[in-house]
Structure formats: structure tokens, C-alpha cells
Amino acid sequence: MTTDLHPDPIVQQCVNRMGGVRRFTWLGIPERMRPGLARWFLHGVEPGSFLRAVLKNQLCATVGAADEENLKALHDYATFLYCEAPQGSWGSELIYNRWRDAGGIIGQTGERRAAQ
């Protein structure tokens, strides 16, 4: 059995954590954007302006902050968030702030406290 390991450890950790019993997929998210999303989902680390706008569900800000590659991938971002992103990690500014303050998946599961 072969495993598709990602060269960026944080992206691989995200795939491992979010995949569970099914195969996790990035659904067309540009490769260079995956580390920012992985840090967001795992640790609640704020990404750049484009991903912040995507995660807050702010269409005009998203389009305004997007480069050409991300603009073309907007449908992929919407599909990815709906199908793959952890519940409670995106959708509005309030939800975004709660996820950030909780420290992502790791913060919510208490792993950060246990490791300290």
C-alpha cells in the first residue's frame, strides 16, 4: 500500500487528522494555499487576507484579495469547505473568531494543554 505523503509536515498532519476513516482530499485547492489552511484547521493560526475572507464567507473581500489562480479556484474552495472542512471552522466572522480563539482542532481537543 502506498501513501501519498505531503512534503509539508503541517499539511500532512492536517490530512492525517481530518481524513479519519475516509480519504481526505483537498478538492482542487492550490498546493501553495494548503499549509495556511492546515495551520488554520489544526491550530487556529490566522491565514492571509484571501483565506481569511474565504473562511469568513465574505465574497467581495475574497474576490478583492484573490490572485488569478485563487480566483479560478473559488468554486473549489466552496466545495472543499462544504465537504471537507471541520464543522465550526468557517462560515462567518463570529465562527472564524471562535475557531481562532479556541486554537483549532488541537486547541479544542485539549492536546495543546496536555502537551504543556
Side-chain angles (χ1 to χ4, degrees), residues 47-113:
S49 59
F50 170 75
L51 287 178
R52 267 195 319 270
V54 168
L55 293 164
K56 291 179 180 181
N57 207 21
Q58 297 173 336
L59 179 61
C60 291
T62 296
V63 171
D67 58 22
E68 188 174 326
E69 180 182 29
N70 282 311
L71 199 55
K72 290 177 183 176
L74 287 180
H75 182 267
D76 294 326
Y77 279 99
T79 303
F80 170 78
L81 290 175
Y82 184 79
C83 294
E84 298 287 349
Q87 184 177 6
S89 65
W90 69 278
S92 70
E93 188 160 358
L94 177 63
I95 292 169
Y96 176 94
N97 291 338
R98 285 180 180 160
W99 188 264
R100 179 199 61 214
D101 295 346
I105 293 169
I106 302 298
Q108 292 177 42
T109 60
E111 291 176 48
R112 179 183 299 157
R113 288 184 297 276

